[in-house]
């Protein structure tokens, strides 16, 4: 340790000065922040409004649904974490292999508990606010934009000129527009192109705007992965008699997606943070709820505490996505992994090793 410090931090006189100055500034800043956070900060603005930040103005008589959803997510997260750490060696192989699919199957259950219907009181989407609105828009946009982005990436490499140029036009057009402008256009123009009398809720229009915008960037990320696949693998798969659709699904896409996992997750993290723009289009997301809390005369001036709390929440979710992406990158893409290959069986697993 001492040798490393001498070699990297104290090897020259100016590195010594920079190291000592950096340590002094870090120590001074850290102690000043701790003094403010412990002795002067007014955290009552957070503790007294924690419910508003999380559930917003969700009906009080239905709050039990939120707690049930959190319990389900906590149980799934805990089991997933323990499963990845190898704490359940006797767990059936099929459960370990398809555990990601179980997460997807819980989404309809969570949507039913959150929005109601079928024996539960229905709650309009536009009545959601706070953190649950931020999570709903972010998760829905991620799920919808991913397949659309993959299709656009495939379309941009299509041999059919019409599909290729339509995909290129869409990608370049959406990437050249600001997200805020797309959100405003989705709020105003989407009802105009739908049949008369059809007016989606504002949350649906916001999800549509985020989905269209994110899909264009995801398409370019996926296209980079597709170009990294050696043509020899595709030719070998075709030589073995595999049809083009299966070459794409079993050989090309799993490897291409694994290669661009960091870029895709980076785009999802950016999308999650971009949900803070919902407040500008009239929806009360987590940031909008902070504005409502700070408008209370009791908490006027408590800006640092509120925005530091919001920054911590955003960091927790973004860092969690980053950790999950690293784990996914290590284990590979897809739910069904047979043999030693990517998604192939028998002789096709040999192709994925080349």
């Amino acid at each position: 340790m001492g040798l490393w410090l001498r070699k990297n931090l104290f090897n020259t006189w100016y590195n010594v000065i920079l190291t000592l100055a950096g340590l002094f500034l870090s120590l001074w800043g850290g102690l000043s922040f701790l003094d403010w956070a412990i002795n002067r900060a007014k955290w009552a603005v957070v503790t007294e409004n924690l419910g508003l930040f999380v559930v917003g103005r969700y009906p009080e008589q239905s709050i039990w649904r939120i707690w049930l959803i959190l319990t389900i997510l906590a149980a799934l997260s805990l089991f997933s974490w323990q499963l990845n750490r190898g704490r359940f060696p006797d767990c059936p192989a099929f459960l370990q292999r398809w555990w990601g699919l179980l997460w997807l199957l819980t989404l309809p259950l969570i949507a039913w508990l959150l929005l109601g219907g079928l024996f539960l009181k229905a709650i309009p989407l536009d009545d959601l606010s706070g953190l649950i609105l931020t999570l709903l828009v972010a998760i829905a946009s991620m799920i919808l934009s991913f397949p659309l982005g993959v299709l656009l990436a495939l379309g941009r490499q299509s041999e059919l000129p019409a599909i290729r140029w339509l995909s290129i036009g869409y990608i370049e057009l959406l990437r050249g527009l600001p997200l805020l402008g797309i959100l405003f256009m989705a709020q105003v123009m989407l009802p105009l192109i739908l049949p008369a009398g059809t007016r989606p809720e504002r949350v649906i229009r916001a999800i549509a705007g985020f989905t269209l915008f994110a899909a264009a960037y995801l398409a370019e990320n996926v296209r980079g992965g597709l170009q990294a696949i050696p043509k020899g693998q595709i030719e070998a798969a075709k030589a073995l008699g595999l049809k083009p659709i299966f070459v794409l699904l079993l050989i090309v896409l799993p490897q291409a997606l694994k290669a661009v996992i960091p870029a895709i997750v980076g785009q999802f993290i950016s999308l999650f943070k971009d949900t803070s723009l919902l407040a500008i289009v009239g929806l009360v997301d987590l940031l909008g709820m902070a504005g409502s809390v700070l408008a209370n005369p009791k908490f006027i001036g408590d800006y640092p505490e509120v925005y530091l709390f919001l920054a911590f929440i955003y960091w927790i979710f973004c860092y969690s996505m980053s950790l999950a992406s690293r784990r996914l990158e290590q284990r590979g893409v897809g739910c069904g992994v047979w043999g030693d290959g990517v998604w192939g069986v028998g002789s096709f697993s040999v192709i994925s090793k080349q």
Side-chain angles (χ1 to χ4, degrees):
M1 184 65 179
L3 181 62
W4 183 92
L5 291 174
R6 193 180 311 113
K7 181 180 179 181
N8 293 277
L9 300 179
F10 299 99
N11 55 341
T12 60
W13 66 268
Y14 49 84
N15 274 348
V16 172
I17 295 176
L18 290 175
T19 300
L20 294 178
L23 288 174
F24 172 77
L25 291 175
S26 299
L27 187 62
W28 175 75
L31 292 177
S32 299
F33 175 78
L34 287 176
D35 176 66
W36 171 82
I38 296 173
N39 300 319
R40 290 177 287 151
K42 301 176 183 178
W43 296 110
V45 65
V46 174
T47 56
E48 293 182 17
N49 297 284
L50 188 60
L52 279 176
F53 285 122
V54 177
V55 300
R57 298 184 178 90
Y58 201 81
E60 187 175 353
Q61 65 274 17
S62 300
I63 289 293
W64 63 270
R65 302 190 206 173
I66 303 297
W67 290 113
L68 181 57
I69 291 173
L70 293 177
T71 302
I72 294 173
L73 293 177
L76 286 174
S77 301
L78 180 61
F79 188 80
S80 299
W81 181 57
Q82 296 293 335
L83 187 65
N84 288 332
R85 291 174 61 89
R87 297 294 180 85
F88 301 106
D90 298 329
C91 183
F94 77 91
L95 183 59
Q96 298 184 36
R97 190 171 294 169
W98 297 96
W99 182 247
L101 183 61
L102 184 60
W103 273 94
L104 293 178
L105 293 178
T106 59
L107 293 179
L109 174 63
I110 292 174
W112 172 63
L113 289 172
L114 184 64
L115 303 177
L118 293 177
F119 313 112
L120 290 179
K121 180 183 177 182
I123 298 177
L125 276 173
D126 286 349
D127 288 350
L128 299 181
S129 55
L131 179 61
I132 57 174
L133 176 61
T134 295
L135 293 176
L136 174 66
V137 173
I139 293 173
S141 301
M142 292 175 191
I143 293 175
L144 294 175
S145 63
F146 180 74
L148 180 57
V150 172
L151 290 176
L152 286 169
L154 295 174
R156 185 157 188 167
Q157 292 191 323
S158 174
E159 297 179 357
L160 299 177
I163 296 178
R164 183 172 66 253
W165 285 109
L166 283 175
S167 300
I168 292 174
Y170 176 91
I171 293 171
E172 298 303 332
L173 176 63
L174 269 292
R175 292 176 69 201
L177 296 175
L179 175 57
L180 186 58
I182 293 176
L183 290 177
F184 276 117
M185 286 192 292
Q187 293 292 329
V188 176
M189 298 182 62
L190 188 59
L192 300 179
I193 63 177
L194 295 176
T198 303
R199 188 175 181 84
E201 295 176 282
R202 288 182 299 163
V203 174
I204 297 295
R205 284 177 269 168
I207 292 174
F210 279 113
T211 299
L212 296 175
F213 180 80
Y217 284 87
L218 285 172
E220 288 300 281
N221 293 334
V222 175
R223 186 170 69 93
L226 293 174
Q227 291 179 337
I229 304 301
K231 293 184 178 180
Q233 294 194 18
I234 301 175
E235 294 171 357
K238 291 180 178 179
L240 289 173
L242 208 59
K243 294 182 178 179
I245 183 66
F246 293 113
V247 173
L248 178 66
L249 294 177
L250 303 181
I251 306 299
V252 176
L253 273 183
Q255 297 179 84
L257 294 178
K258 181 179 180 180
V260 295
I261 285 176
I264 291 176
V265 175
Q267 182 60 40
F268 284 159
I269 290 175
S270 177
L271 175 62
F272 178 76
K273 293 185 292 185
D274 286 340
T275 55
S276 57
L277 296 175
L278 289 172
I280 300 179
V281 295
L283 295 170
V284 187
D285 68 322
L286 183 60
L287 189 63
M289 187 56 65
S292 300
V293 169
L294 291 172
N296 187 336
K298 181 180 178 182
F299 303 115
I300 289 179
D302 295 338
Y303 296 99
E305 294 85 353
V306 170
Y307 289 119
L308 187 62
F309 173 69
L310 296 190
F312 178 73
I313 291 179
Y314 278 105
W315 178 82
I316 285 292
F317 282 100
C318 293
Y319 187 65
S320 299
M321 284 190 282
S322 178
L323 287 178
S325 73
R326 275 184 274 177
R327 184 64 182 177
L328 182 62
E329 192 175 0
Q330 293 172 358
R331 297 190 60 178
V333 180
C335 295
V337 182
W338 302 308
D340 294 325
V342 180
W343 273 24
V345 292
S347 61
F348 298 126
S349 63
V350 179
I351 299 173
S352 62
K353 291 182 182 179
Q354 294 177 356

